[in-house]
Structure formats: C-alpha cells, structure tokens
Amino acid sequence: MTDKPAAPAPFVAAIIVAAGRGSRFGGDLPKQYCRLAGEPILSRTLEAFAAHAGIAAIVTVIHADDAEAYAGLGAALSHDKILPPVNGGAARQASVLAGLEALAGTAVDLVLVHDAARPFVSPALIDAAIAAAREHGAAVPGAAVTDTIVAVEGGAIAAAPERASLKAVQTPQAFRFDLILAAHRQAAAAGRGDFTDDGNVARFAGHAVHVFEGDPANVKITTRDDLARANQRLGAAMVSRSATGFDVHAFGPGDHVWLCGLKIPHAHGFIAHSDGDVALHAITDALLGAMADGDIGRHFPPGEPQWKGASSDRFLVFAAERLRQRGGVIDLLDVTIICEAPRIGPHAEAMRARIAAIVEVKPACISVKATTTERLGFTGRGEGISALATATIRLPL
C-alpha cells in the first residue's frame, strides 16, 4: 500500500490595506506611517507577513498621496514577496477590490486581507487564517467579547444581546481568491460600497462565513492612546521632557489681537510678520524645544513672504505633528500671557479649548494663565504683550 501524496500547498497572497486617512487618530501623517517603537506601523505589519513561510506574495494598497511616505519605509520593502503597491479607493471596500484586481490573473489560490494598523498579527493567527480559508472558503477571526454590549436608542438601552454569541471581528480575513474577488465585484456592480469588512461582502454574495478563533493581542491602532499603549507593550522606553518657549510682540495699529488662536477685540493690533499670536508662538517653541527640534524661526523664517500674515495655528499644528510622527505624547501645555490689557480671564476657557483642538488633545492637558508686571516694563506701559510657555511631553527613546 502506498501513501496518498499530500495535496500541494496553496499559493497564498496577502493584501495589506493601508489607504486610510485615520480620522480618529488625527494629524497630517496617516497612522500607518507613524512610528511604533522607532519603526513605522506599516513596516511592522509588512514584516510580519513577509516573514511567514505560508505567504507567497504581498500587495499593499496605499493612498494616492502616500507614494513618498510608502517609499520611505525603505528596508521593510526589500523582501521579494512584496509586490509594487496599488492605489486604493475612497473607502476600504474599494481599496480591497483594487488589491484583489491587482492579483487577478495570477496563480493565487487563497488571499488574506489585513489592516495595516494591526502590527501585532502573530504567525499562529496567520496559520489559522490560511487553514480556515482552505477548509471553509470564507473565514474571519473573532475574539471573545468581555464587556456587556448593548444597543442604544434615544439614550437608553434598547437591547442587550447575549455576550456569549458575540465576537469582535479582526483581520486577517481569509478567502478562496475567486470567491472573494467575485463577491467584491458583485457588490461594486450593485452599487454597494458601504461594507466595512470583507466577511460581510462575502455574506452579501451569498456565502457562509466561518468564524475562527481570533487573538486578543491582535489589536488595531486607532487612536494616539492606542499607539502609546502599543509602545509600552513593546517595551519602548518613554522619556519625559520639558522645555520652555517665549515670545513678545509690540502693539501697533488695529482693533484686535490674536491670542491662543482666538481673535480678541483690543484698542491695538500687533506689529508682526505673521498674525503675532505670542501665546501660540511660545507654545510652538516649547514643543519644538522639548523635541530638541530647533525653534519656530528655523522652521518658519520670518523673512519669507509666505509667512506674512500667516495664522499661527499652522505653526503649532506643524510642531504637534512632528511630535506624533516620532510616537510622542503631549502631557501638558502651559502658557502664561503677560499684559495689562486685554483681560485674559473672560477668554481663558475658550483659549484652552482652542489650543486643545489645534494639537488634538483633551482640554485637561492645556493650561492658560495671565498676569501683569504691576505696570513695570514695556508690558506694564501697555506697549505690547509677552507669553511664556512650558511643554511637557513623552518620547520613545
């Protein structure tokens, strides 16, 4: 009696969906390019699949605006499994279809679709996904739900499904390639572009979708707090830093001043190249100083015409974004405005809220104070305003 020959291993491809803008994460740099323990999140995700022996090819779906950021991943793209990226669509479903179409006509048997922002995918979970796709044709990982989940209507509980029947669906979602390609094409032809995962695209096309055991550690990075926790999980040491910033502007003709991003009525305006917001200038310098990243004048030279009359929130957004790109976190921004007039007290809470919105943190991380110099010096004589700021941040080492 001879042993039956083993079935040949399937050709398995992975599609990494990295075209999202990450609106809940905030900032100009999409979260998948932000650094996790010193390495871009997307690099870690690609490396996890490239290192797996069962994966033969990888297609990354990126946003059309991210070609330079993607190319900047450098060594993470050097693996011969990684194919040229393709541009995604306006929503996740369209992006996955773009990745599938890039593989159409190839020898792919099975395909795994995975979110770029899940860098902790394990080899065991990839193994399970491949096995589930071979057996069932369409399968998604589901992790147990530990909290009670309720449906809410009008601010009240409307239903409370049995927790035992609920699963938190993850990626990689795994499919027979021809099945999921046909399902996505069918959904697109029907004008359905609202599916948020591929299992539901398969269900729309009439396929049963198996749920295999997910991994609670396979978390998705959605917010900056998620990124901070991920850094801690990887043992990335976070160092606390503080720095100060100072700015001053003299009064000139006008009927208002800009302070903390707000237009405040006043008998004078500022003499300045930009809008003269001393508070935002001081905070920007404090943030840049805490990163050892120069000062506002280095990044926005006052002699350049493009910054004439510029809104100072642009400078602070720039500094906050540079901090996020390095995986940093703002703990506190404290600013003291020094002037005889205008009165700051009536505007202090609105100023806190405005600064918080600019740097995308909670108002509890912002402090706005005011004082006078007891009519001493140029501020005491009502000739201008100064501001002193302190930024306290945490940065991965």
Side-chain angles (χ1 to χ4, degrees):
M1 176 183 245
T2 58
D3 292 335
K4 184 178 178 180
F11 187 106
V12 184
I15 294 173
I16 308 301
V17 188
R21 300 294 84 191
S23 57
R24 284 176 288 179
F25 190 84
D28 295 330
L29 184 70
K31 63 187 175 186
Q32 57 267 33
Y33 298 103
C34 288
R35 293 187 176 273
L36 170 58
E39 187 177 1
I41 293 170
L42 178 54
S43 293
R44 291 182 172 275
T45 303
L46 289 171
E47 288 164 357
F49 282 87
H52 194 283
I55 301 297
I58 301 168
V59 171
T60 312
V61 185
I62 67 173
H63 194 281
D65 294 341
D66 293 346
E68 184 177 348
Y70 182 75
L73 297 181
L77 306 179
S78 62
H79 203 290
D80 57 9
K81 292 182 181 181
I82 299 178
L83 304 179
V86 298
N87 289 338
R92 184 187 188 280
Q93 184 181 330
S95 293
V96 174
L97 179 55
L100 292 168
E101 294 290 3
L103 292 168
T106 69
V108 174
D109 299 307
L110 306 177
V111 63
L112 275 54
V113 183
H114 188 69
D115 296 327
R118 290 187 187 269
F120 295 114
V121 59
S122 67
L125 188 60
I126 295 174
D127 284 339
I130 294 172
R134 292 189 76 171
E135 182 176 354
H136 301 282
V140 300
V145 174
T146 57
D147 294 322
T148 297
I149 306 298
V150 299
V152 178
E153 293 181 5
I157 294 176
E162 284 291 332
R163 186 167 57 192
S165 68
L166 299 175
K167 293 285 186 178
V169 174
Q170 303 176 330
T171 65
Q173 301 188 359
F175 306 91
R176 201 175 69 239
F177 181 74
D178 59 346
L179 179 155
I180 195 62
L181 175 60
H184 264 277
R185 286 174 173 173
Q186 181 180 340
R192 290 295 304 272
D194 56 328
F195 293 110
T196 57
D197 84 318
D198 305 288
N200 277 307
V201 174
R203 289 184 67 243
F204 168 79
H207 301 287
V209 180
H210 174 71
V211 179
F212 61 96
E213 192 64 35
D215 180 1
N218 179 36
V219 295
K220 184 177 183 180
I221 296 174
T222 301
T223 68
R224 283 192 295 279
D225 286 342
D226 294 336
L227 180 58
R229 285 190 289 270
N231 271 308
Q232 292 173 350
R233 172 176 168 178
L234 290 174
M238 299 285 281
V239 60
S240 182
R241 292 181 173 185
S242 293
T244 60
F246 179 79
D247 196 40
V248 58
H249 280 298
F251 287 138
D255 60 4
H256 69 275
V257 292
W258 284 93
L259 288 171
C260 299
L262 298 181
K263 185 178 180 179
I264 308 297
H266 188 52
H268 305 286
F270 280 136
I271 300 173
H273 188 66
S274 64
D275 64 10
D277 192 325
V278 291
L280 293 192
H281 293 176
I283 295 170
T284 300
D285 263 351
L287 262 183
L288 292 171
M291 292 184 281
D293 196 13
D295 58 27
I296 194 170
R298 182 184 303 179
H299 296 285
F300 305 96
E304 292 187 1
Q306 61 180 316
W307 308 122
K308 183 172 177 60
S311 175
S312 295
D313 56 3
R314 297 173 60 182
F315 310 146
L316 185 52
V317 165
F318 169 85
E321 181 63 19
R322 287 177 78 85
L323 177 64
R324 281 193 289 270
Q325 290 176 13
R326 293 172 58 179
V329 178
I330 292 172
D331 284 329
L332 177 68
L333 298 178
D334 174 82
V335 62
T336 300
I337 302 170
I338 305 165
C339 63
E340 296 293 329
R343 291 184 60 219
I344 303 303
H347 307 286
E349 288 306 307
M351 289 174 170
R352 290 180 67 209
R354 177 61 184 142
I355 296 169
I358 293 170
V359 299
E360 299 181 17
V361 300
K362 296 176 181 178
C365 298
I366 308 298
S367 170
V368 174
K369 311 188 300 294
T371 190
T372 71
T373 55
E374 302 293 341
R375 300 194 178 278
L376 299 174
F378 79 96
T379 57
R381 294 190 296 270
E383 297 172 358
I385 295 180
S386 63
L388 176 66
T390 301
T392 302
I393 66 171
R394 278 173 290 148
L395 274 175
L397 283 177

